[in-house]
Amino acid sequence: MLTRIDHIGIAVSSIEESLPYYRDQLHMQYMGTEEVAEQKVKVAFLQIGESSIELLEPTSEDSPVAKFLQKNGPGIHHIAYAVEDIASTLKSLAAQGVRLIDTQPRNGAHGAKIAFIHPKSSAGVLTELCQAGQ
Ligand code: CMX
């Protein structure tokens, strides 16, 4: 069902301040920044092999990422796995009793369809499934 690690999401209070480390010191390829208004975040993508690092900055005080930062400070927020067919993957996981946050896909960055698995089913790690946009 899963084909690779699509990205690792890292919560930051400022993309502008965090980007130089990844782009200029680690020399990851910066792919651009995009706002996902629906989820109240701005995301910057940095390519590393077949995966990427996603820096997540909240765009409002009531953003889930702002709450994460208040509670934990900056750090790893989620891991995302690429899937070919998100709807059938969600159906299969639900049938196996996996607890889902999203039973239906929502819109992610780059036109992707995404869905979150509840961390209670994934050893405390917020887990995202990600079907690439066409
Ligand atoms: N790590 C671990 N646990 C987390 C977590 C995290 N980063 N974020 C939330 N949780 C836990 C909560 O504590 C809660 O646990 P309990 O049910 O035990 O209380 C549970 O997950 C559900 O969280 P919630 O905030 O109550 O549920 P919501 O449905 O309101 O929101 C979620 C869940 C994950 C969508 C939201 O918290 C969030 O992080 N939204 C931002 C998503 C994001 O990163 N979007 C980027 C899109 C770009 C892309 O990747 O394409």
Side-chain angles (χ1 to χ4, degrees), residues 29-61:
Q29 192 183 356
Y30 173 54
M31 307 301 283
T33 297
E34 179 182 333
E35 184 169 343
V36 185
E38 206 178 291
Q39 294 175 47
K40 300 179 180 169
V41 287
K42 203 162 78 169
V43 294
F45 278 95
L46 295 120
Q47 196 73 31
I48 168 78
E50 62 173 12
S51 305
S52 57
I53 292 296
E54 177 188 87
L55 302 178
L56 296 158
E57 178 189 311
T59 53
S60 73
E61 278 178 18

mmCIF file of all heavy atoms in Angstrom, residues 29-61:
data_model
loop_
_atom_site.group_PDB
_atom_site.id
_atom_site.type_symbol
_atom_site.label_atom_id
_atom_site.label_comp_id
_atom_site.label_asym_id
_atom_site.label_seq_id
_atom_site.Cartn_x
_atom_site.Cartn_y
_atom_site.Cartn_z
ATOM 1 N N GLN A 29 17.653 20.524 -1.773
ATOM 2 C CA GLN A 29 17.102 21.339 -2.871
ATOM 3 C C GLN A 29 15.775 21.960 -2.440
ATOM 4 O O GLN A 29 14.796 21.244 -2.179
ATOM 5 C CB GLN A 29 16.910 20.458 -4.102
ATOM 6 C CG GLN A 29 16.626 21.277 -5.336
ATOM 7 C CD GLN A 29 16.369 20.385 -6.554
ATOM 8 O OE1 GLN A 29 16.480 19.163 -6.488
ATOM 9 N NE2 GLN A 29 16.026 21.021 -7.656
ATOM 10 N N TYR A 30 15.754 23.284 -2.381
ATOM 11 C CA TYR A 30 14.541 24.012 -1.968
ATOM 12 C C TYR A 30 13.549 24.015 -3.131
ATOM 13 O O TYR A 30 13.859 24.480 -4.226
ATOM 14 C CB TYR A 30 14.918 25.438 -1.576
ATOM 15 C CG TYR A 30 13.751 26.350 -1.299
ATOM 16 C CD1 TYR A 30 12.770 25.999 -0.379
ATOM 17 C CD2 TYR A 30 13.641 27.578 -1.953
ATOM 18 C CE1 TYR A 30 11.688 26.836 -0.124
ATOM 19 C CE2 TYR A 30 12.576 28.432 -1.708
ATOM 20 C CZ TYR A 30 11.605 28.046 -0.791
ATOM 21 O OH TYR A 30 10.540 28.878 -0.541
ATOM 22 N N MET A 31 12.340 23.497 -2.877
ATOM 23 C CA MET A 31 11.345 23.345 -3.950
ATOM 24 C C MET A 31 10.263 24.417 -3.911
ATOM 25 O O MET A 31 9.350 24.399 -4.733
ATOM 26 C CB MET A 31 10.680 21.962 -3.861
ATOM 27 C CG MET A 31 11.650 20.787 -3.823
ATOM 28 S SD MET A 31 12.729 20.713 -5.256
ATOM 29 C CE MET A 31 11.615 20.059 -6.476
ATOM 30 N N GLY A 32 10.335 25.309 -2.926
ATOM 31 C CA GLY A 32 9.348 26.386 -2.871
ATOM 32 C C GLY A 32 8.482 26.323 -1.630
ATOM 33 O O GLY A 32 8.514 25.349 -0.864
ATOM 34 N N THR A 33 7.727 27.393 -1.444
ATOM 35 C CA THR A 33 6.857 27.532 -0.263
ATOM 36 C C THR A 33 5.432 27.748 -0.761
ATOM 37 O O THR A 33 5.214 28.408 -1.768
ATOM 38 C CB THR A 33 7.315 28.730 0.592
ATOM 39 O OG1 THR A 33 8.644 28.466 1.065
ATOM 40 C CG2 THR A 33 6.418 28.939 1.803
ATOM 41 N N GLU A 34 4.490 27.176 -0.029
ATOM 42 C CA GLU A 34 3.078 27.229 -0.439
ATOM 43 C C GLU A 34 2.217 27.367 0.812
ATOM 44 O O GLU A 34 2.565 26.845 1.865
ATOM 45 C CB GLU A 34 2.782 25.891 -1.135
ATOM 46 C CG GLU A 34 1.385 25.700 -1.623
ATOM 47 C CD GLU A 34 1.200 24.301 -2.260
ATOM 48 O OE1 GLU A 34 2.185 23.728 -2.767
ATOM 49 O OE2 GLU A 34 0.092 23.796 -2.213
ATOM 50 N N GLU A 35 1.106 28.083 0.677
ATOM 51 C CA GLU A 35 0.181 28.160 1.815
ATOM 52 C C GLU A 35 -0.929 27.139 1.621
ATOM 53 O O GLU A 35 -1.479 27.021 0.527
ATOM 54 C CB GLU A 35 -0.408 29.571 1.919
ATOM 55 C CG GLU A 35 -1.285 29.698 3.149
ATOM 56 C CD GLU A 35 -1.683 31.138 3.461
ATOM 57 O OE1 GLU A 35 -1.045 32.085 2.940
ATOM 58 O OE2 GLU A 35 -2.639 31.296 4.236
ATOM 59 N N VAL A 36 -1.208 26.371 2.687
ATOM 60 C CA VAL A 36 -2.367 25.473 2.651
ATOM 61 C C VAL A 36 -3.385 26.107 3.587
ATOM 62 O O VAL A 36 -3.410 25.840 4.805
ATOM 63 C CB VAL A 36 -1.997 24.027 3.083
ATOM 64 C CG1 VAL A 36 -3.176 23.077 2.922
ATOM 65 C CG2 VAL A 36 -0.805 23.511 2.276
ATOM 66 N N ALA A 37 -4.206 27.004 3.020
ATOM 67 C CA ALA A 37 -5.093 27.852 3.822
ATOM 68 C C ALA A 37 -6.064 27.021 4.666
ATOM 69 O O ALA A 37 -6.305 27.328 5.832
ATOM 70 C CB ALA A 37 -5.863 28.789 2.900
ATOM 71 N N GLU A 38 -6.548 25.950 4.053
ATOM 72 C CA GLU A 38 -7.511 25.061 4.729
ATOM 73 C C GLU A 38 -6.970 24.549 6.066
ATOM 74 O O GLU A 38 -7.714 24.309 7.001
ATOM 75 C CB GLU A 38 -7.716 23.869 3.794
ATOM 76 C CG GLU A 38 -9.028 23.146 3.902
ATOM 77 C CD GLU A 38 -9.079 22.015 2.868
ATOM 78 O OE1 GLU A 38 -9.157 22.315 1.656
ATOM 79 O OE2 GLU A 38 -8.995 20.871 3.283
ATOM 80 N N GLN A 39 -5.649 24.381 6.139
ATOM 81 C CA GLN A 39 -5.050 23.827 7.362
ATOM 82 C C GLN A 39 -4.240 24.856 8.150
ATOM 83 O O GLN A 39 -3.514 24.510 9.077
ATOM 84 C CB GLN A 39 -4.219 22.607 7.003
ATOM 85 C CG GLN A 39 -5.132 21.508 6.479
ATOM 86 C CD GLN A 39 -4.398 20.316 5.983
ATOM 87 O OE1 GLN A 39 -3.494 19.821 6.640
ATOM 88 N NE2 GLN A 39 -4.769 19.850 4.814
ATOM 89 N N LYS A 40 -4.369 26.117 7.735
ATOM 90 C CA LYS A 40 -3.749 27.235 8.455
ATOM 91 C C LYS A 40 -2.239 27.062 8.636
ATOM 92 O O LYS A 40 -1.690 27.235 9.738
ATOM 93 C CB LYS A 40 -4.439 27.443 9.799
ATOM 94 C CG LYS A 40 -5.915 27.767 9.635
ATOM 95 C CD LYS A 40 -6.597 27.949 10.966
ATOM 96 C CE LYS A 40 -8.070 28.277 10.745
ATOM 97 N NZ LYS A 40 -8.854 28.231 11.935
ATOM 98 N N VAL A 41 -1.602 26.624 7.547
ATOM 99 C CA VAL A 41 -0.145 26.475 7.571
ATOM 100 C C VAL A 41 0.457 26.965 6.264
ATOM 101 O O VAL A 41 -0.192 26.974 5.223
ATOM 102 C CB VAL A 41 0.316 25.004 7.777
ATOM 103 C CG1 VAL A 41 0.098 24.526 9.185
ATOM 104 C CG2 VAL A 41 -0.290 24.061 6.761
ATOM 105 N N LYS A 42 1.735 27.326 6.390
ATOM 106 C CA LYS A 42 2.558 27.619 5.223
ATOM 107 C C LYS A 42 3.600 26.517 5.211
ATOM 108 O O LYS A 42 4.136 26.157 6.276
ATOM 109 C CB LYS A 42 3.210 28.993 5.426
ATOM 110 C CG LYS A 42 3.620 29.683 4.177
ATOM 111 C CD LYS A 42 3.844 31.167 4.434
ATOM 112 C CE LYS A 42 5.173 31.401 5.113
ATOM 113 N NZ LYS A 42 5.571 32.802 5.165
ATOM 114 N N VAL A 43 3.894 25.942 4.044
ATOM 115 C CA VAL A 43 4.837 24.827 4.002
ATOM 116 C C VAL A 43 5.951 25.091 3.002
ATOM 117 O O VAL A 43 5.707 25.570 1.897
ATOM 118 C CB VAL A 43 4.125 23.483 3.655
ATOM 119 C CG1 VAL A 43 3.178 23.064 4.745
ATOM 120 C CG2 VAL A 43 3.389 23.550 2.336
ATOM 121 N N ALA A 44 7.176 24.776 3.406
ATOM 122 C CA ALA A 44 8.334 24.853 2.508
ATOM 123 C C ALA A 44 8.838 23.434 2.306
ATOM 124 O O ALA A 44 8.977 22.672 3.277
ATOM 125 C CB ALA A 44 9.432 25.707 3.125
ATOM 126 N N PHE A 45 9.103 23.059 1.055
ATOM 127 C CA PHE A 45 9.575 21.705 0.752
ATOM 128 C C PHE A 45 11.043 21.714 0.343
ATOM 129 O O PHE A 45 11.469 22.548 -0.451
ATOM 130 C CB PHE A 45 8.755 21.094 -0.389
ATOM 131 C CG PHE A 45 7.454 20.504 0.070
ATOM 132 C CD1 PHE A 45 6.289 21.243 0.021
ATOM 133 C CD2 PHE A 45 7.403 19.210 0.578
ATOM 134 C CE1 PHE A 45 5.088 20.710 0.457
ATOM 135 C CE2 PHE A 45 6.205 18.666 1.016
ATOM 136 C CZ PHE A 45 5.044 19.414 0.951
ATOM 137 N N LEU A 46 11.794 20.759 0.904
ATOM 138 C CA LEU A 46 13.205 20.583 0.552
ATOM 139 C C LEU A 46 13.413 19.126 0.176
ATOM 140 O O LEU A 46 13.154 18.230 0.988
ATOM 141 C CB LEU A 46 14.095 20.956 1.738
ATOM 142 C CG LEU A 46 13.978 22.444 2.096
ATOM 143 C CD1 LEU A 46 13.478 22.622 3.501
ATOM 144 C CD2 LEU A 46 15.297 23.144 1.860
ATOM 145 N N GLN A 47 13.862 18.913 -1.062
ATOM 146 C CA GLN A 47 13.993 17.551 -1.579
ATOM 147 C C GLN A 47 15.242 16.880 -1.017
ATOM 148 O O GLN A 47 16.308 17.501 -0.931
ATOM 149 C CB GLN A 47 14.097 17.634 -3.114
ATOM 150 C CG GLN A 47 13.859 16.336 -3.836
ATOM 151 C CD GLN A 47 12.386 15.933 -3.809
ATOM 152 O OE1 GLN A 47 11.509 16.784 -3.780
ATOM 153 N NE2 GLN A 47 12.127 14.634 -3.807
ATOM 154 N N ILE A 48 15.089 15.600 -0.641
ATOM 155 C CA ILE A 48 16.235 14.804 -0.211
ATOM 156 C C ILE A 48 16.015 13.394 -0.749
ATOM 157 O O ILE A 48 15.182 12.659 -0.243
ATOM 158 C CB ILE A 48 16.454 14.890 1.333
ATOM 159 C CG1 ILE A 48 17.455 13.861 1.834
ATOM 160 C CG2 ILE A 48 15.181 14.822 2.136
ATOM 161 C CD1 ILE A 48 18.879 14.241 1.569
ATOM 162 N N GLY A 49 16.703 13.063 -1.851
ATOM 163 C CA GLY A 49 16.462 11.782 -2.531
ATOM 164 C C GLY A 49 15.020 11.714 -3.015
ATOM 165 O O GLY A 49 14.513 12.647 -3.618
ATOM 166 N N GLU A 50 14.376 10.592 -2.717
ATOM 167 C CA GLU A 50 12.989 10.418 -3.176
ATOM 168 C C GLU A 50 11.977 10.964 -2.174
ATOM 169 O O GLU A 50 10.780 10.830 -2.353
ATOM 170 C CB GLU A 50 12.715 8.933 -3.447
ATOM 171 C CG GLU A 50 12.842 8.062 -2.214
ATOM 172 C CD GLU A 50 12.413 6.620 -2.439
ATOM 173 O OE1 GLU A 50 12.218 6.225 -3.602
ATOM 174 O OE2 GLU A 50 12.293 5.890 -1.442
ATOM 175 N N SER A 51 12.484 11.603 -1.115
ATOM 176 C CA SER A 51 11.606 12.131 -0.063
ATOM 177 C C SER A 51 11.869 13.623 0.112
ATOM 178 O O SER A 51 12.735 14.185 -0.556
ATOM 179 C CB SER A 51 11.886 11.411 1.260
ATOM 180 O OG SER A 51 11.759 10.020 1.086
ATOM 181 N N SER A 52 11.126 14.229 1.009
ATOM 182 C CA SER A 52 11.422 15.631 1.297
ATOM 183 C C SER A 52 11.162 15.969 2.758
ATOM 184 O O SER A 52 10.508 15.218 3.482
ATOM 185 C CB SER A 52 10.650 16.566 0.360
ATOM 186 O OG SER A 52 9.290 16.334 0.453
ATOM 187 N N ILE A 53 11.719 17.087 3.132
ATOM 188 C CA ILE A 53 11.472 17.680 4.444
ATOM 189 C C ILE A 53 10.467 18.797 4.210
ATOM 190 O O ILE A 53 10.621 19.576 3.264
ATOM 191 C CB ILE A 53 12.794 18.238 5.036
ATOM 192 C CG1 ILE A 53 13.777 17.109 5.377
ATOM 193 C CG2 ILE A 53 12.526 19.114 6.263
ATOM 194 C CD1 ILE A 53 13.341 16.152 6.463
ATOM 195 N N GLU A 54 9.434 18.830 5.051
ATOM 196 C CA GLU A 54 8.390 19.856 4.925
ATOM 197 C C GLU A 54 8.448 20.721 6.181
ATOM 198 O O GLU A 54 8.170 20.233 7.283
ATOM 199 C CB GLU A 54 7.031 19.160 4.805
ATOM 200 C CG GLU A 54 5.839 20.076 4.731
ATOM 201 C CD GLU A 54 4.522 19.309 4.822
ATOM 202 O OE1 GLU A 54 4.056 19.062 5.943
ATOM 203 O OE2 GLU A 54 3.965 18.951 3.786
ATOM 204 N N LEU A 55 8.846 21.972 6.011
ATOM 205 C CA LEU A 55 8.838 22.889 7.160
ATOM 206 C C LEU A 55 7.434 23.479 7.253
ATOM 207 O O LEU A 55 6.892 23.979 6.255
ATOM 208 C CB LEU A 55 9.875 23.995 6.964
ATOM 209 C CG LEU A 55 11.323 23.529 6.777
ATOM 210 C CD1 LEU A 55 12.244 24.729 6.546
ATOM 211 C CD2 LEU A 55 11.812 22.705 7.971
ATOM 212 N N LEU A 56 6.832 23.401 8.440
ATOM 213 C CA LEU A 56 5.447 23.841 8.641
ATOM 214 C C LEU A 56 5.424 25.050 9.559
ATOM 215 O O LEU A 56 5.859 24.963 10.716
ATOM 216 C CB LEU A 56 4.659 22.754 9.378
ATOM 217 C CG LEU A 56 4.428 21.409 8.725
ATOM 218 C CD1 LEU A 56 4.128 20.364 9.785
ATOM 219 C CD2 LEU A 56 3.265 21.522 7.757
ATOM 220 N N GLU A 57 4.897 26.134 9.049
ATOM 221 C CA GLU A 57 4.782 27.349 9.864
ATOM 222 C C GLU A 57 3.296 27.703 10.005
ATOM 223 O O GLU A 57 2.581 27.758 8.996
ATOM 224 C CB GLU A 57 5.525 28.499 9.168
ATOM 225 C CG GLU A 57 5.426 29.823 9.896
ATOM 226 C CD GLU A 57 5.985 30.984 9.058
ATOM 227 O OE1 GLU A 57 7.103 30.877 8.521
ATOM 228 O OE2 GLU A 57 5.277 31.999 8.946
ATOM 229 N N PRO A 58 2.826 27.945 11.223
ATOM 230 C CA PRO A 58 1.407 28.304 11.379
ATOM 231 C C PRO A 58 1.110 29.670 10.778
ATOM 232 O O PRO A 58 1.954 30.565 10.810
ATOM 233 C CB PRO A 58 1.203 28.332 12.900
ATOM 234 C CG PRO A 58 2.556 28.469 13.486
ATOM 235 C CD PRO A 58 3.540 27.898 12.508
ATOM 236 N N THR A 59 -0.093 29.819 10.211
ATOM 237 C CA THR A 59 -0.464 31.121 9.656
ATOM 238 C C THR A 59 -1.451 31.865 10.559
ATOM 239 O O THR A 59 -1.836 32.983 10.262
ATOM 240 C CB THR A 59 -1.087 30.966 8.249
ATOM 241 O OG1 THR A 59 -2.147 30.016 8.333
ATOM 242 C CG2 THR A 59 -0.074 30.514 7.222
ATOM 243 N N SER A 60 -1.871 31.207 11.649
ATOM 244 C CA SER A 60 -2.724 31.923 12.605
ATOM 245 C C SER A 60 -2.550 31.293 13.984
ATOM 246 O O SER A 60 -2.028 30.171 14.100
ATOM 247 C CB SER A 60 -4.195 31.870 12.184
ATOM 248 O OG SER A 60 -4.699 30.578 12.414
ATOM 249 N N GLU A 61 -2.992 32.010 15.013
ATOM 250 C CA GLU A 61 -2.791 31.523 16.384
ATOM 251 C C GLU A 61 -3.600 30.266 16.683
ATOM 252 O O GLU A 61 -3.248 29.490 17.562
ATOM 253 C CB GLU A 61 -3.171 32.616 17.389
ATOM 254 C CG GLU A 61 -2.040 33.615 17.576
ATOM 255 C CD GLU A 61 -2.397 34.742 18.515
ATOM 256 O OE1 GLU A 61 -3.362 34.593 19.286
ATOM 257 O OE2 GLU A 61 -1.710 35.779 18.458
#
